[in-house]
Amino acid sequence: MHRIMLYCHLFPGNRYSQEEIDPDDEELLDKIRKQRTSILSEYPTDDLRELYSAVKFLCSIFDSATNAQSNVTEALLSTGPSGALRAWQYRSYHVLEDDIDLMFFEDDEEIPLFVGYLSLPLKNIWTARNIMPPKEDDPASMWILDQVNGANDTCSHCATPGGLKLYTAANWDRFPIILTNLLKKNLKLNQTVAQPFYAATAHLINSDALGPFLGDLFAFKTHTAPAFDNWDQTDSYCFMCFTKFLEEHLWIWILEERIKGGWMPPEDCWYGWNCRTQAHKRSHAETKNHLCIPIKGDPA
């Protein structure tokens, strides 16, 4: 990472403003690109392969903050590892406005100054040295680590291979889902349920508090026994399995939260969370409790 830090110090994102760079000034742009290539050319090939792996890792962080807008990601690389850390912590690249002119990102077009910010110099060097470049689908760790712990892990419930993409207590706060969408069946369409649920969980959006919140849901397994008896919060789960777990327990959580807040549930609707009327007839949604297991119809 120290080589990337030096490179970004020499070619920082805030070195030029949008007004200072004419995207049609190929002479200036070519000069900058040659300077970048010259700096990296000082390193031996093995070091550059390691640098390539580190760049892929940084790109994955910036991708998560930009929704994978490649033109923005390449520009953000100029903020270096410290920029990646801040973008990760704040879940947004807007925190980097002091490091780069965000006016560059107003259009969806490529930004000539940053096209191939690091990839182009590396490509030039691979070609000049007549060596095979790393493959796009090579894991980021390939040129840095001999072995990755957990790379071959499988889902603790369904045994689907997932490796480092599995969800554990360490990354639950990054679970990519809107919680309201995980309310059981038709509950998500019932505004008398969905609105209080959103109000109670809105603070968890893009927050480190989401992880502990999801972990606490394992305490509600007593309500879903024996289906989830063997599920433990120390295990690893694939996206589908963890989504299933949340769907089966979030409705129980909001039921208990509302009761603790003084809500008195009305009479249970026979069709519980499956009730279709709750979605379009507010009077029914308000006078019947749908946070319950159906006793009529299909309970699945």
Side-chain angles (χ1 to χ4, degrees):
M1 285 293 183
H2 66 280
R3 294 186 177 91
I4 297 177
M5 293 170 66
L6 173 60
Y7 181 90
C8 294
H9 177 73
L10 294 173
F11 306 106
N14 58 6
R15 184 172 181 176
Y16 302 100
S17 67
Q18 188 184 39
E19 291 76 16
E20 292 177 291
I21 291 292
D22 180 356
D24 296 321
D25 189 346
E26 281 298 325
E27 183 178 349
L28 173 60
L29 293 172
D30 186 57
K31 179 181 178 181
I32 294 172
R33 291 165 185 154
K34 286 180 178 178
Q35 289 174 340
R36 293 171 178 171
T37 301
S38 177
I39 291 296
L40 293 185
S41 294
E42 295 297 315
Y43 299 122
T45 299
D46 285 347
D47 287 359
L48 289 178
R49 287 189 175 119
E50 293 178 0
L51 184 144
Y52 170 83
S53 290
V55 169
K56 285 195 69 173
F57 173 67
L58 294 178
C59 283
S60 68
I61 294 176
F62 286 126
D63 280 346
S64 68
T66 65
N67 294 320
Q69 295 174 260
S70 59
N71 63 317
V72 178
T73 293
E74 286 206 291
L76 293 179
L77 279 173
S78 65
T79 66
S82 65
L85 176 60
R86 281 174 286 148
W88 174 262
Q89 290 173 329
Y90 289 91
R91 295 172 168 83
S92 170
Y93 66 81
H94 293 284
V95 71
L96 304 175
E97 60 183 351
D98 290 335
D99 300 78
I100 191 169
D101 186 354
L102 298 185
M103 293 291 289
F104 281 117
F105 308 147
E106 286 196 338
D107 299 321
D108 293 332
E109 299 177 0
E110 289 186 328
I111 309 164
L113 177 64
F114 297 110
V115 171
Y117 177 74
L118 272 157
S119 60
L120 183 58
L122 288 173
K123 180 181 178 181
N124 292 338
I125 295 170
W126 307 140
T127 301
R129 296 181 183 179
N130 195 28
I131 59 175
M132 184 69 68
K135 297 178 181 178
E136 279 294 322
D137 57 353
D138 284 343
S141 60
M142 180 171 179
W143 303 103
I144 299 177
L145 302 175
D146 294 327
Q147 180 178 343
V148 178
N149 292 332
N152 298 316
D153 285 357
T154 59
C155 175
S156 299
H157 177 65
C158 71
T160 296
L164 300 182
K165 293 183 179 180
L166 295 174
Y167 290 94
T168 69
N171 61 10
W172 284 339
D173 60 320
R174 301 282 169 164
F175 194 64
I177 199 71
I178 299 173
L179 289 178
T180 308
N181 291 345
L182 294 182
L183 283 171
K184 185 81 171 177
K185 298 295 183 177
N186 290 328
L187 289 175
K188 61 178 68 69
L189 303 176
N190 181 342
Q191 292 306 303
T192 67
V193 173
Q195 288 179 358
F197 179 84
Y198 178 79
T201 59
H203 68 287
L204 300 173
I205 299 173
N206 293 333
S207 167
D208 290 340
L210 177 61
F213 169 79
L214 298 183
D216 289 344
L217 293 177
F218 281 84
F220 293 93
K221 289 195 306 176
T222 54
H223 297 274
T224 55
F228 293 90
D229 283 355
N230 295 326
W231 294 55
D232 194 274
Q233 64 185 101
T234 59
D235 288 336
S236 304
Y237 300 100
C238 67
F239 178 83
M240 295 301 295
C241 284
F242 197 53
T243 296
K244 176 184 177 182
F245 175 84
L246 296 180
E247 287 178 336
E248 296 295 337
H249 294 86
L250 279 170
W251 74 271
I252 303 172
W253 174 82
I254 190 58
L255 172 62
E256 296 203 358
E257 282 296 300
R258 295 184 71 185
I259 291 174
K260 283 193 293 185
W263 180 63
M264 296 290 291
E267 180 184 8
D268 287 351
C269 172
W270 289 345
Y271 298 96
W273 59 61
N274 266 342
C275 174
R276 288 176 291 184
T277 306
Q278 65 177 312
H280 60 81
K281 191 172 182 180
R282 190 170 183 93
S283 60
H284 177 75
E286 291 175 339
T287 57
K288 297 292 183 181
N289 174 40
H290 295 89
L291 290 165
C292 58
I293 299 173
I295 59 174
K296 282 192 175 184
D298 182 7

